[in-house]
Amino acid sequence: MMRRNRILAGLGLIVLILMPLLTDALGQASLLSLVTRALIYGIAAASLNLVLGYGGMVSFGHAAFFGIGGYVVGILYQHFDAETPFLGLIPGSNQMLVTLPAAMLVGGVLAAAIGALALRTGGVQFIMITMAFAQMLFFLFVSLKVYGGEDGIIIRRSNDVPFLNMRDKATLYWVVLAVTVAFFAGMRQVINSSFGAILAGIRQNERRMAALGVPVFRYKLYAFMLSGMGAGLAGALMANALRFASPDMMHWTKSGELMVMVILGGVGTSLGPFFGAATLLVLESTLSSWTEHWQLALGAILLALVLGTKGGVMAVLGRLGGRK
């Protein structure tokens, strides 16, 4: 079983690597953009899945970290283009090797600040506090006219990577794919580590883990910070892919989309968020081309998938593979 899974994973990776060539051969250039966005949303959904599926923390404000990652790229590019330092201290940049780590750093710091307050509560209170912080940031960036306000900030070209032509969509896709693979490998290491085991124990019985001497708050905060860093990374990649960042990236509806992706793909699974992101984007793209009432059809399909499979897309794939 393990060998077969590795073979399937290898074949899937080969298909993803060859995707630009396949889309050119099929004459479906727009498909490459769809796959690029699916990979990026997969990173964001997997970041949410770390706290939701493995830590049992239902965060409804993860769009805040996703959006802040996009704005890090946009703000640094704007100051680079204007040749003025941000806050009079930080120089602008159009280098992806600078903007991606910066987005992760800012996302992690923001998650630490929000988590330090929100994690002192639980249940509905935690959900509402995370959503409230996301909405606060949404309205903050709507009011920042210097960075486009509600119209967002335009990035005239994707960030540069040494020796690569980032104006080429295929090159940008391969960079996104490489980052996605690295992120997935790192997330697997975290989940399979002792940290992941403790996080799973906290999800199952927080009081028992505290009685065993585990600093529960600290582990939950670390997980929340890692999750914020991953979402910030996804936002930075999305800003590069779309060459645009807007407050809508921080809206509570975006947090809802990320949660739907996790649930649709399979909560508490490594690949589930990626399959969930791809499934949701494909359904949206297909149904919107058929009817103007596509959201009604999408809702019905999502209900059927979630309630009928009892585990999302990963549960369906597991049954097809002969696993119960």
Side-chain angles (χ1 to χ4, degrees):
M1 181 67 71
M2 185 68 69
R3 183 180 179 183
R4 186 183 67 177
N5 289 342
R6 289 177 179 175
I7 292 174
L8 291 175
L11 291 175
L13 181 59
I14 291 173
V15 171
L16 287 174
I17 292 173
L18 298 177
M19 187 60 65
L21 305 179
L22 295 175
T23 54
D24 282 343
L26 296 172
Q28 298 288 335
S30 61
L31 182 59
L32 185 62
S33 175
L34 180 65
V35 178
T36 302
R37 290 191 295 121
L39 291 173
I40 295 172
Y41 274 122
I43 294 175
S47 300
L48 174 59
N49 188 47
L50 177 64
V51 294
L52 175 63
Y54 294 100
M57 294 171 273
V58 184
S59 171
F60 213 74
H62 251 58
F65 315 126
F66 181 72
I68 203 69
Y71 265 97
V72 167
V73 173
I75 290 172
L76 287 178
Y77 182 85
Q78 180 169 310
H79 284 278
F80 167 80
D81 192 47
E83 298 182 352
T84 58
F86 175 62
L87 299 178
L89 297 172
I90 304 172
S93 177
N94 72 332
Q95 296 296 315
M96 191 173 288
L97 295 179
V98 173
T99 58
L100 292 191
M104 294 177 67
L105 177 62
V106 175
V109 171
L110 180 62
I114 294 176
L117 295 174
L119 289 171
R120 299 183 186 279
T121 64
V124 176
Q125 291 86 355
F126 178 79
I127 297 173
M128 296 306 296
I129 289 175
T130 54
M131 185 173 72
F133 273 110
Q135 286 301 98
M136 287 167 59
L137 283 171
F138 168 77
F139 287 110
L140 171 63
F141 279 92
V142 165
S143 66
L144 291 178
K145 303 301 181 184
V146 66
Y147 297 123
E150 61 182 355
D151 295 325
I153 184 170
I154 296 174
I155 304 165
R156 290 192 293 177
R157 54 181 294 183
S158 301
N159 290 162
D160 291 335
V161 177
F163 312 112
L164 296 178
N165 178 20
M166 295 304 292
R167 294 186 179 184
D168 180 38
K169 291 184 177 180
T171 303
L172 176 62
Y173 166 80
W174 280 317
V175 170
V176 171
L177 178 59
V179 174
T180 303
V181 172
F183 172 84
F184 177 76
M187 188 63 70
R188 289 277 294 181
Q189 288 292 327
V190 170
I191 292 169
N192 294 326
S193 67
S194 57
F195 176 84
I198 292 174
L199 196 62
I202 293 173
R203 183 194 73 241
Q204 295 169 9
N205 196 317
E206 184 174 329
R207 290 184 178 180
R208 182 175 295 175
M209 295 298 289
L212 292 173
V214 175
V216 172
F217 178 82
R218 188 191 308 169
Y219 274 92
K220 291 172 69 174
L221 183 59
Y222 288 163
F224 203 75
M225 289 173 58
L226 287 174
S227 183
M229 292 174 68
L233 172 64
L237 290 173
M238 187 62 75
N240 275 283
L242 300 180
R243 289 184 292 177
F244 178 72
S246 74
D248 289 339
M249 296 175 71
M250 302 180 183
H251 199 261
W252 69 268
T253 54
K254 185 64 68 177
S255 296
E257 286 183 26
L258 296 179
M259 192 166 293
V260 168
M261 291 173 185
V262 175
I263 297 172
L264 181 60
V267 178
T269 60
S270 299
L271 284 172
F274 293 94
F275 281 113
T279 302
L280 184 61
L281 290 180
V282 169
L283 286 175
E284 286 182 352
S285 177
T286 303
L287 293 174
S288 62
S289 65
W290 289 353
T291 174
E292 61 181 7
H293 306 295
W294 62 272
Q295 291 177 324
L296 178 62
L298 176 63
I301 293 173
L302 292 179
L303 281 174
L305 283 173
V306 174
L307 297 178
T309 59
K310 297 181 180 180
V313 175
M314 289 301 293
V316 175
L317 295 176
R319 292 191 186 101
L320 292 176
R323 289 179 295 174
K324 296 184 179 180

